[in-house]
Amino acid sequence: MTVTLDQLLKDNPPLQVARPSERVGDVMERMREHDYSQLPVVAEDTTQLRAIGLISTATIARAALYLEIPPSGLRVHHAVDGHPIKKKLDDDLWRTLDQARQAEVLLVEDDDGILRGILTGQDFTTYLRRQSEDSLTVLDIEYTVKQLIREHYRDRDGELRDVVERELGVFQRSLEKAVKGIVNRCLNAASAKFDQTVFVEAFQKQLPDNSSYDFDRLTFHQYQQILLGEACWAAYEDDFELPLEHLRTLLELARELRNQIMHNRGLPTPAERARLVFCRELLSRVADRHSEAVVAPAVVEPEREPKPGE
């Protein structure tokens, strides 16, 4: 799934615009108030925001220089750049990056040509930085969950193997049941008879049972199920000092946000991001506590050589 430009506009403040007949001095004051170096210019005679250009500190300086009039004596139409780069809300972020590097600002419109926002290079940088940080946070959470599971089954590879294969087997059986239900409904609609033998043979051919041991190919949900299962939870319950369902809710949110981030369905809200960071720190504290509990080998002092006469 691609990242579209409308995702970059979600956290932007309300759009500020200029009209051609406005005094440049008034526009400069508005730019100063909002800490902007440019504003889109929209058509004068309509309530709809149809962009006709861009005014910036650079275009103002150019107009003042060539017209030999101070900015306070100019109107916006004197200093407008009438050829800004325009993009659509559903344009792909990655295909727009080159233009974002070349232009100070991009005007973003909907399919009806109505201005919906502006994007600067800083907006692209901020979005990509947040995406990277959020991705690392959810990966840290998944890594720490795996670390806690491995720590619990330290030196008990056989038990961990059984747990993993059981979890993979549950998934395979759930998948088979779901597919069987779909096939049954289709056959019933066609007044055809369901053949269990043929179904099992076809299912195993197309979706073979790969429930052999491979700890690192489990899903986040499966790691979560193992950590919160009876064996692991009994080992860590005193460390978390939380009701099981509270931790399950926190991990479930982390799983949903992980999928959202990894499949480019948008970034977490500030509140969701704060909960992700809290989840990572909570898991890390418990993991660190168990790592520190591993007994270090005792330091053996070398024997003192006896002094002469002893």
Side-chain angles (χ1 to χ4, degrees):
M1 191 171 179
T2 59
V3 180
T4 52
L5 298 186
D6 63 320
Q7 295 183 31
L8 277 70
L9 293 173
K10 287 181 179 178
D11 296 331
N12 281 11
L15 183 62
Q16 299 292 325
V17 300
R19 303 276 181 176
S21 63
E22 282 190 89
R23 293 185 179 277
V24 167
D26 295 336
V27 172
M28 291 180 68
E29 178 59 28
R30 195 152 68 248
M31 290 164 62
R32 184 200 62 77
E33 179 184 348
H34 295 280
D35 194 25
Y36 294 157
S37 59
Q38 67 278 311
L39 285 179
V41 180
V42 297
E44 190 82 56
D45 55 351
T46 177
T47 56
Q48 295 182 319
L49 301 182
R50 296 193 178 276
I52 60 173
L54 185 75
I55 186 170
S56 67
T57 53
T59 63
I60 293 170
R62 183 181 61 188
L65 175 65
Y66 294 156
L67 295 175
E68 298 182 354
I69 300 175
S72 58
L74 296 172
R75 297 284 180 172
V76 167
H77 65 81
H78 291 132
V80 66
D81 173 4
H83 303 284
I85 297 178
K86 297 182 179 181
K87 305 299 292 183
K88 296 295 185 183
L89 285 171
D90 58 358
D91 282 347
D92 179 69
L93 178 150
W94 303 106
R95 295 181 179 179
T96 309
L97 276 179
D98 285 340
Q99 289 177 304
R101 293 191 190 99
Q102 297 166 9
E104 289 186 6
V105 62
L106 304 178
L107 304 185
V108 184
E109 300 175 333
D110 62 18
D111 290 339
D112 296 322
I114 305 302
L115 182 66
R116 295 302 181 187
I118 66 172
L119 291 173
T120 65
Q122 182 63 34
D123 292 317
F124 284 86
T125 301
T126 299
Y127 183 90
L128 295 173
R129 176 178 57 79
R130 285 178 180 170
Q131 185 185 55
S132 298
E133 290 174 350
D134 292 338
S135 298
L136 289 174
T137 299
V138 295
L139 290 175
D140 279 347
I141 290 172
E142 181 171 337
Y143 173 82
T144 309
V145 169
K146 293 166 66 174
Q147 181 184 350
L148 288 169
I149 294 171
R150 290 186 187 278
E151 181 64 30
H152 174 65
Y153 288 101
R154 178 191 290 269
D155 300 325
R156 292 183 292 157
D157 290 343
E159 290 182 42
L160 179 57
R161 179 186 297 273
D162 291 342
V163 170
V164 171
E165 290 184 348
R166 184 163 59 249
E167 191 62 41
L168 288 170
V170 168
F171 174 77
Q172 185 75 5
R173 289 191 296 274
S174 298
L175 180 61
E176 182 175 347
K177 183 178 178 180
V179 174
K180 182 177 179 180
I182 294 171
V183 171
N184 251 324
R185 285 196 295 272
C186 293
L187 292 176
N188 288 337
S191 300
K193 184 179 179 181
F194 179 82
D195 189 316
Q196 176 69 18
T197 303
V198 172
F199 170 77
V200 171
E201 182 180 345
F203 184 86
Q204 288 297 331
K205 182 177 180 180
Q206 298 299 322
L207 297 166
D209 185 355
N210 293 320
S211 56
S212 57
Y213 177 77
D214 188 351
F215 181 74
D216 288 321
R217 80 176 185 85
L218 295 180
T219 65
F220 186 97
H221 177 71
Q222 289 170 326
Y223 293 126
Q224 176 185 326
Q225 293 296 97
I226 295 174
L227 178 65
L228 302 182
E230 185 176 348
C232 267
W233 182 245
Y236 292 117
E237 183 176 8
D238 291 341
D239 294 287
F240 282 105
E241 293 186 302
L242 286 172
L244 174 62
E245 290 309 311
H246 287 229
L247 183 58
R248 189 186 303 278
T249 299
L250 192 61
L251 288 175
E252 189 62 24
L253 174 67
R255 183 184 69 83
E256 292 173 359
L257 292 176
R258 174 196 183 279
N259 292 339
Q260 175 181 316
I261 294 165
M262 297 304 180
H263 294 287
N264 292 323
R265 296 200 297 264
L267 300 183
T269 65
E272 290 171 336
R273 185 172 290 113
R275 294 185 72 177
L276 270 182
V277 172
F278 176 83
C279 180
R280 179 186 64 187
E281 292 174 350
L282 174 65
L283 292 168
S284 294
R285 284 197 298 271
V286 174
D288 290 345
R289 199 174 304 144
H290 273 261
S291 297
E292 292 168 0
V294 177
V295 180
V299 177
V300 179
E301 294 289 341
E303 293 185 6
R304 182 176 64 86
E305 294 184 7
K307 294 181 180 179
E310 289 186 345

